[in-house]
Amino acid sequence: MSETERLTESVKELLGGGRDERLAGLLENAHAADISSVLRELPLPDQVRLFRLLSSQHAGEVLSELDDPTQRELLRALDEQEVSRVLDQMPADDVVEVVEELPKEEAEKILDLMAEEKSEEVQELLEYREGTAGRLMSPNVVAVHEAATVAQAIEHIRKSKSGDDAFYVYVVDDHDHLVGFVPLHRLLTADPRTPIHAIRNADVESVAVDTDQEEVARLVERYDLVQVPVVDASRRLLGAIGVDDVIDIIHEEATEDIQRLGGVAGDETVLDPPEAVFTKRLVWRLINLGTAVLAASVIGLFESSIRSLALLAVFMPIVASMGGIGTTQTATVVVRGIALGEVSRPVLGRVLWKELWLGLTTGAANGLVIAAIAYLWKGQILLSLILGVALLFNMLVAAVVGTLVPIALKAFRIDPAIASSVIITTFTDVFGFFSFLGLATVLIRFLL
Amino acid sequence: MSETERLTESVKELLGGGRDERLAGLLENAHAADISSVLRELPLPDQVRLFRLLSSQHAGEVLSELDDPTQRELLRALDEQEVSRVLDQMPADDVVEVVEELPKEEAEKILDLMAEEKSEEVQELLEYREGTAGRLMSPNVVAVHEAATVAQAIEHIRKSKSGDDAFYVYVVDDHDHLVGFVPLHRLLTADPRTPIHAIRNADVESVAVDTDQEEVARLVERYDLVQVPVVDASRRLLGAIGVDDVIDIIHEEATEDIQRLGGVAGDETVLDPPEAVFTKRLVWRLINLGTAVLAASVIGLFESSIRSLALLAVFMPIVASMGGIGTTQTATVVVRGIALGEVSRPVLGRVLWKELWLGLTTGAANGLVIAAIAYLWKGQILLSLILGVALLFNMLVAAVVGTLVPIALKAFRIDPAIASSVIITTFTDVFGFFSFLGLATVLIRFLL
């Protein structure tokens, strides 16, 4: 049984007995992440009851860990005084995440009730655009002047607000420009009289405050950072982003890619209320309906051939389906490659060549197999050959479409994952029906 | 222009001129991650030339950053003496990652040539199963006895091998059992005479040495850790895993899910040589060919209906295609939900209910739209209604299949992403053809 499951069982037992004191004790020792998992599975009144048993500090941590829908519901059930007291105890960047999910009026009321200093910090962060480094950063970083000594830096750390999750001291010059960093490990092992500039690492990776969060994540991954400082246009230090926030971004981006490839909005969770996602799901289904009608209209062109040879209708979907798997496989690999930054201009030719090679070889293999199956099944040698050839053609189309559509989207700054199977398989559906039925129609006098 | 692009240009310029000294200087100041990106784009002889210009320490860092195919090629081009000298300078866990990619004989030869102490460390790590905490951990952690003072702990850190990326000191008892940890920040701000046990955090998250890497990643994410200690069965401290390795795992797992959902092996990259992935791609295409033949054989049952009413063949793929998008959307959300740990037993009912609700509502909407389109296009009211009803049915089948297949796979400990569109859309292909053509066949005397 996991930590969370154990906690859930104990909480449910104690909730029934109404023993709030023992509940409070149990929660006090539990990790915020586990408590948030427990809350998610309880009815709202129990959520409120448990939440009120937490200390303000702990309540803030739990609030940060909750998923958006649960958080919204819980906050609506609490009164604003209560919420503002909890937010006061949270780091400003975590407060931002909570406040940005609330309706504007409610958010303003709560900010008014909060301690002035914290509220101002939060409002400053809220001025940066969503999805940028400014929105994500925590303003609580330790910065020391390059002329300070190690002993002075340590004294400064002692007085600062930053806590156990500070791993670096940032070094600034007279004008607050970021000029380096010192890992705490190095500070700990240095002579106290050493000047900071002598032990600082001048090669400090930083991000501009308006950098897109995806870019931030890529930098952190690339250089194996635990925290990345955020600077303004003139390199003045504003705050820092921790790797835990970066992991959340990586998850969000991966979810977005997976879902968009599957024709879903990109931020849906399994427990979203169905009404909330109805429109988004419907849009993709309507797009798909449109592309299906397009494919159907191609078949419509060949209605008279099908009337004279109904067998064509039987084999028809095989060509389309194989084009579908071809484009999907290719686009999946290419979209993921783009997300991981592996697809740069110099390698485009190699990527396309690889896919064409695979389209040709697997297309030939599949074409032979299906021709053989069709011949054994229906005994029509010419029709079987047409089927095999149409399938091979379609695999080559799949290779080209699956590679170039995502790359073209990326070039136009559109998310390549939007090239979901819904869109790109339309090409191979249409081309597949056209080549198979077209070839058959031209040769129909030999087929009948 | 990014750091990497700038570096690539400068390197290419200098490579032409043969000015190895200036090249060495350029590389010395570049980050290993950037150098590895540059190497990937150069022909092998240039890779070898650049690599030999690096200091052993830097060469090791670059080697760790290279993707597997490039790393293998480069190592094959270097002699074993050279490789072992570079590996000597790398942390043991990074050496493990390199060595496990090599053919067994070559790996043994290189390990023999390495410094004895490092080679033994590496061999110990290699004894843990791939994909477990033991394989990932670095044995270089700082551990102090709980009775030590802060001053003694700092002295110990000074003497230890661990460097700037040490963020915690682990606390152990007389028998080397892990009993807590102290963030360096706290060590820095504490009185030197304080005993460690007074400031340690006893609530330390750790993983057992045989824990699966996915589980390790989930723990690190859940509790926002920067490093997680690894212990043996009796809680003795063996090493620690850094968050940078965890980010790599998160990426790997996301790639696996995305690719498997798209009918690809799970570890393919855009630049893999096509011959290397031929078989894996072909397998999925052959499976798809099999399911397409299955769907075709359902159509075959109704060949005579199609002969009398060729219009059926035109509309047929619309029902199948809409079932396809339905299953794909549902399965995508469910598979991602499972990966993020959001699908637990108590919520299964809610997930299924959500999908059924969406299948019913969007199915009804789509059914009406397609019935209207079909009527306007071909003027056959009854056929249009049959089309609409078959589409609605198929959407409900899609909801059930898309939800239950991934959940069932998970229950049998099979990767739910294997429920790729190739497999699950077969259900809706078959059911779609069956319901549409079946209904039409039953009612055909009214249709003609």
Side-chain angles (χ1 to χ4, degrees), chain B residues 254-298:
Chain B
T255 301
E256 202 177 281
D257 276 2
I258 290 180
Q259 292 197 349
R260 287 202 173 152
L261 275 169
V264 189
D267 57 356
E268 189 179 324
T269 73
V270 276
L271 288 178
D272 280 344
E275 311 84 54
V277 296
F278 171 75
T279 319
K280 292 174 191 169
R281 286 276 190 102
L282 185 62
V283 166
W284 275 110
R285 289 181 187 192
L286 285 174
I287 293 173
N288 190 69
L289 193 58
T291 67
V293 169
L294 183 65
S297 69
V298 173

Side-chain angles (χ1 to χ4, degrees), chain B residues 197-443:
Chain B
H197 67 80
I199 58 163
R200 71 146 195 230
N201 197 334
D203 205 13
V204 54
E205 298 295 338
S206 64
V207 293
V209 71
D210 56 354
T211 309
D212 188 87
Q213 62 175 18
E214 262 189 85
E215 204 45 59
V216 176
R218 243 190 298 269
L219 195 84
V220 167
E221 285 170 64
R222 187 171 185 80
Y223 299 118
D224 291 340
L225 308 175
V226 164
Q227 195 177 54
V228 60
V230 180
V231 295
D232 67 11
S234 41
R235 266 190 85 72
R236 267 190 303 257
L237 182 65
L238 298 174
I241 302 171
V243 72
D244 52 332
D245 288 329
V246 168
I247 288 184
D248 292 343
I249 298 167
I250 294 174
H251 267 290
E252 257 175 48
E253 303 286 345
T255 301
E256 202 177 281
D257 276 2
I258 290 180
Q259 292 197 349
R260 287 202 173 152
L261 275 169
V264 189
D267 57 356
E268 189 179 324
T269 73
V270 276
L271 288 178
D272 280 344
E275 311 84 54
V277 296
F278 171 75
T279 319
K280 292 174 191 169
R281 286 276 190 102
L282 185 62
V283 166
W284 275 110
R285 289 181 187 192
L286 285 174
I287 293 173
N288 190 69
L289 193 58
T291 67
V293 169
L294 183 65
S297 69
V298 173
I299 305 173
L301 299 177
F302 301 99
E303 212 178 316
S304 70
S305 303
I306 294 171
R307 196 169 303 123
S308 22
L309 187 62
L311 197 52
L312 291 177
V314 177
F315 288 146
M316 208 172 64
I318 295 180
V319 184
S321 169
M322 290 306 292
I325 171 83
T327 30
T328 302
Q329 283 186 329
T330 303
T332 301
V333 173
V334 173
V335 167
R336 187 61 184 160
I338 292 174
L340 295 178
E342 292 167 352
V343 183
S344 56
R345 202 150 307 166
V347 302
L348 287 192
R350 269 168 72 192
V351 175
L352 186 59
W353 163 245
K354 172 194 170 196
E355 292 303 329
L356 279 172
W357 190 99
L358 286 168
L360 190 70
T361 52
T362 62
N366 285 317
L368 280 173
V369 172
I370 196 62
I373 292 176
Y375 179 68
L376 292 173
W377 186 15
K378 296 292 180 178
Q380 297 247 28
I381 181 87
L382 181 57
L383 187 59
S384 305
L385 288 178
I386 291 174
L387 183 61
V389 170
L391 193 149
L392 171 62
F393 279 176
N394 215 13
M395 281 304 199
L396 290 173
V397 172
V400 175
V401 171
T403 310
L404 296 188
V405 170
I407 289 176
L409 288 174
K410 173 75 184 171
F412 287 111
R413 296 172 185 281
I414 302 170
D415 181 355
I418 275 285
S420 64
S421 32
V422 180
I423 307 277
I424 47 169
T425 56
T426 306
F427 287 90
T428 43
D429 274 0
V430 168
F431 183 84
F433 291 140
F434 209 87
S435 58
F436 175 60
L437 296 176
L439 275 173
T441 302
V442 170
L443 299 169

Side-chain angles (χ1 to χ4, degrees), chain A residues 1 16 33 122 126 129 212 271 330 374 387 392 436 441 443:
Chain A
M1 211 177 354
V122 172
L126 277 168
R129 209 157 39 76
D212 188 87
L271 288 178
T330 303
L387 183 62
L392 170 61
F436 175 60
T441 302
L443 300 171

Side-chain angles (χ1 to χ4, degrees), chain A residues 222-352:
Chain A
R222 188 170 184 79
Y223 299 119
D224 290 340
L225 308 175
V226 163
Q227 195 178 52
V228 60
V230 180
V231 295
D232 68 10
S234 42
R235 267 192 83 74
R236 268 191 302 257
L237 182 65
L238 298 174
I241 301 171
V243 72
D244 51 334
D245 288 328
V246 169
I247 288 184
D248 292 344
I249 298 167
I250 294 175
H251 267 289
E252 258 175 48
E253 303 286 346
T255 301
E256 203 176 282
D257 276 2
I258 290 180
Q259 292 197 350
R260 286 201 173 152
L261 275 169
V264 190
D267 58 356
E268 190 179 323
T269 72
V270 275
L271 288 178
D272 279 344
E275 312 83 56
V277 297
F278 171 75
T279 321
K280 293 174 190 169
R281 286 275 190 103
L282 185 62
V283 167
W284 276 111
R285 289 182 188 192
L286 285 173
I287 293 173
N288 190 70
L289 192 59
T291 66
V293 168
L294 183 67
S297 70
V298 173
I299 304 174
L301 299 176
F302 301 101
E303 213 180 313
S304 70
S305 302
I306 294 172
R307 195 170 305 123
S308 21
L309 187 61
L311 197 53
L312 291 177
V314 177
F315 288 146
M316 209 173 63
I318 295 179
V319 182
S321 167
M322 289 307 291
I325 172 82
T327 32
T328 303
Q329 284 186 330
T330 303
T332 301
V333 173
V334 172
V335 167
R336 187 61 183 160
I338 292 174
L340 295 179
E342 293 167 351
V343 182
S344 57
R345 199 148 309 165
V347 302
L348 288 191
R350 267 169 72 192
V351 175
L352 186 61

Side-chain angles (χ1 to χ4, degrees), chain B residues 106-155:
Chain B
E106 207 180 319
E108 278 171 11
K109 235 184 267 173
I110 288 174
L111 283 170
D112 272 352
L113 288 167
M114 282 175 63
E116 208 180 311
E117 197 192 352
K118 176 63 64 63
S119 166
E120 271 169 20
E121 259 183 32
V122 171
Q123 271 158 332
E124 264 170 45
L125 293 181
L126 277 170
E127 272 168 30
Y128 299 110
R129 210 157 36 79
E130 228 183 307
T132 63
R135 264 295 176 92
L136 283 170
M137 71 183 180
S138 156
N140 290 332
V141 288
V142 188
V144 298
H145 191 272
E146 50 184 340
T149 63
V150 166
Q152 284 170 326
I154 294 178
E155 194 44 42

Side-chain angles (χ1 to χ4, degrees), chain A residues 110-146:
Chain A
I110 288 174
L111 283 171
D112 272 351
L113 289 166
M114 282 175 64
E116 209 181 310
E117 196 192 354
K118 177 62 64 63
S119 167
E120 272 168 20
E121 258 183 30
V122 172
Q123 272 158 330
E124 264 171 46
L125 292 181
L126 277 168
E127 271 167 32
Y128 298 110
R129 209 157 39 76
E130 228 184 307
T132 63
R135 265 294 177 89
L136 282 171
M137 71 183 180
S138 157
N140 291 332
V141 288
V142 189
V144 298
H145 190 273
E146 51 185 340

